[in-house]
């Protein structure tokens, strides 16, 4: 396997959950948003927006929603990434066109993918500057309130936050699933992909021994707990309220 600085940075990735109380400079933020805005975009629709939550009171209201308050409040910057087809809706309306093409499930998927690519570009850029990052899907714990707090228009969805700052501490990278469970040639090998084998022991050992938040669990156990109930069922209602048909 080839190794260079970029690949090393990618394979060394860990989420950071403790930041110094040092705001990023305007120049650092300019670099980060430029990286985010430079990603690939489906049909070049650029269907995302980025909101810098610079107001401390607003940040703390958002933080309270996330279950990740300490590292949303104390960080270098907190961005909310918004899947966004409002601009296109405005264009279509001004031209007397139907909004059906924006309301579709496919368009929603396009906007969420564009948003995610932008955020990951920003994350990689931040790590190259020796900053730490953590995605904050916890904003969807109360997606309605987040939309109200940010004054979001129709055809927008707050997908996640990204907290970025100077790390106080960093965990060791989490062991990823073996390649044979995720990568194949030509066809989907059901048994090979679903049989996690040694990964169970590897993750049990990782969770038992890690310095912060050690637990007696494994990857499978965590995933059963995570998916055995429907999480955030109100998200679908929110998406409909924003104008998406989910069809
Ligand atoms: C879309 C998304 C949302 C996430 N939301 C949260 C969150 O709300 N709080 C948190 O502490 N970590 C969050 N994470 C971080 C994941 O827990 C983390 O990426 C995962 O456990 C793998 O660990 P690593 O990033 O250190 O390799 C999120 C990650 C992603 C991709």
């Amino acid at each position: 396997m080839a190794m260079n600085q970029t690949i090393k940075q990618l394979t060394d990735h860990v989420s950071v959950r403790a930041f110094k109380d040092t705001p990023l400079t305007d120049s650092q933020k300019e670099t980060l948003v430029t990286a985010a805005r430079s990603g690939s975009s489906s049909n070049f629709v650029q269907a995302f927006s980025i909101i810098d939550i610079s107001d401390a009171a607003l940040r703390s209201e958002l933080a309270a929603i996330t279950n990740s308050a300490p590292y949303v409040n104390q960080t270098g910057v907190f961005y909310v990434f918004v899947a966004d087809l409002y601009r296109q809706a405005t264009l279509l309306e001004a031209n007397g066109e139907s909004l059906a093409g924006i309301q579709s499930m496919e368009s929603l998927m396009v906007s969420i993918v564009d948003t995610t690519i932008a955020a990951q570009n920003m994350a990689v850029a931040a790590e190259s500057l020796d900053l730490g990052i953590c995605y904050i899907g916890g904003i969807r714990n109360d997606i309605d309130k987040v939309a109200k707090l940010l004054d979001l228009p129709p055809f927008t969805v707050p997908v996640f936050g990204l907290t970025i700052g100077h790390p106080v501490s960093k965990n060791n990278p989490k062991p990823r699933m073996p390649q044979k469970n995720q990568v194949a040639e030509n066809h989907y090998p059901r048994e090979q992909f679903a049989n996690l084998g040694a990964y169970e022991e590897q993750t049990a050992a990782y969770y038992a021994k890690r310095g912060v938040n050690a637990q007696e669990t494994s990857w499978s156990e965590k995933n059963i707990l995570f998916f055995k109930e429907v999480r955030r069922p109100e998200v679908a209602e929110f998406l409909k309220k924003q104008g998406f048909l989910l069809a």
Side-chain angles (χ1 to χ4, degrees):
M1 185 174 104
M3 187 52 76
N4 61 29
Q5 224 181 335
T6 305
I7 309 292
K8 172 137 179 52
Q9 183 200 307
L10 292 172
T11 54
D12 280 352
H13 158 78
V14 281
S15 293
V16 170
R17 296 188 175 83
F19 297 107
K20 292 181 190 155
D21 199 7
T22 316
L24 298 196
T25 62
D26 287 345
S27 157
Q28 284 171 316
K29 293 206 278 188
E30 174 78 22
T31 306
L32 294 178
V33 296
T34 302
R37 292 169 45 247
S38 303
S40 294
S41 165
S42 178
N43 277 288
F44 202 36
V45 294
Q46 305 179 76
F48 64 89
S49 295
I50 302 170
I51 313 283
D52 175 356
I53 310 298
S54 57
D55 182 272
L58 176 60
R59 167 122 37 108
S60 118
E61 275 196 88
L62 289 170
I65 294 168
T66 63
N67 281 340
S68 305
Y71 41 101
V72 171
N73 277 320
Q74 184 164 317
T75 184
V77 67
F78 183 64
Y79 291 114
V80 174
F81 278 79
V82 180
D84 189 351
L85 289 161
Y86 176 69
R87 283 175 285 267
Q88 282 84 351
T90 310
L91 276 175
L92 288 167
E93 264 171 355
N95 281 276
E97 299 289 349
S98 148
L99 295 182
I102 281 179
Q103 293 174 306
S104 70
M105 192 67 217
E106 167 65 9
S107 290
L108 176 58
M109 197 177 339
V110 160
S111 66
I112 292 172
V113 170
D114 268 18
T115 307
T116 307
I117 288 170
Q120 185 60 13
N121 255 20
M122 182 184 282
V124 169
E127 288 176 342
S128 81
L129 300 172
D130 286 328
L131 298 167
I133 69 107
C134 190
Y135 280 88
I136 305 293
I139 61 163
R140 299 198 307 278
N141 290 340
D142 194 342
I143 198 165
D144 271 292
K145 189 167 176 194
V146 172
K148 281 195 193 90
L149 287 171
L150 304 189
D151 210 10
L152 296 186
F155 300 105
T156 59
V157 182
V159 183
F160 42 68
L162 194 58
T163 182
I164 305 178
H166 296 275
V168 168
S169 59
K170 256 185 162 174
N171 297 326
N172 291 326
K174 276 186 185 169
R176 262 42 186 181
M177 208 178 273
Q179 185 165 316
K180 69 174 172 50
N181 289 112
Q182 283 186 309
V183 185
E185 260 181 78
N186 301 321
H187 297 288
Y188 190 104
R190 295 183 195 198
E191 272 194 27
Q192 179 186 318
F193 275 11
N195 180 357
L196 294 164
Y199 192 51
E200 270 306 278
E201 286 115 65
Q202 197 190 357
T203 53
Y206 162 79
Y207 284 118
K209 284 189 204 136
R210 72 176 174 186
V212 179
N213 195 17
Q215 298 171 44
E216 194 185 317
T217 185
S218 69
W219 188 85
S220 298
E221 234 176 275
K222 279 196 170 283
N223 277 264
I224 291 165
L225 282 176
F226 190 78
F227 286 114
K228 75 178 186 182
E229 50 198 52
V230 179
R231 302 182 73 243
R232 303 175 180 142
E234 67 287 355
V235 167
E237 285 316 305
F238 171 80
L239 294 172
K240 287 184 201 160
K241 226 164 48 193
Q242 290 302 86
F244 295 102
L245 297 175
L246 308 190

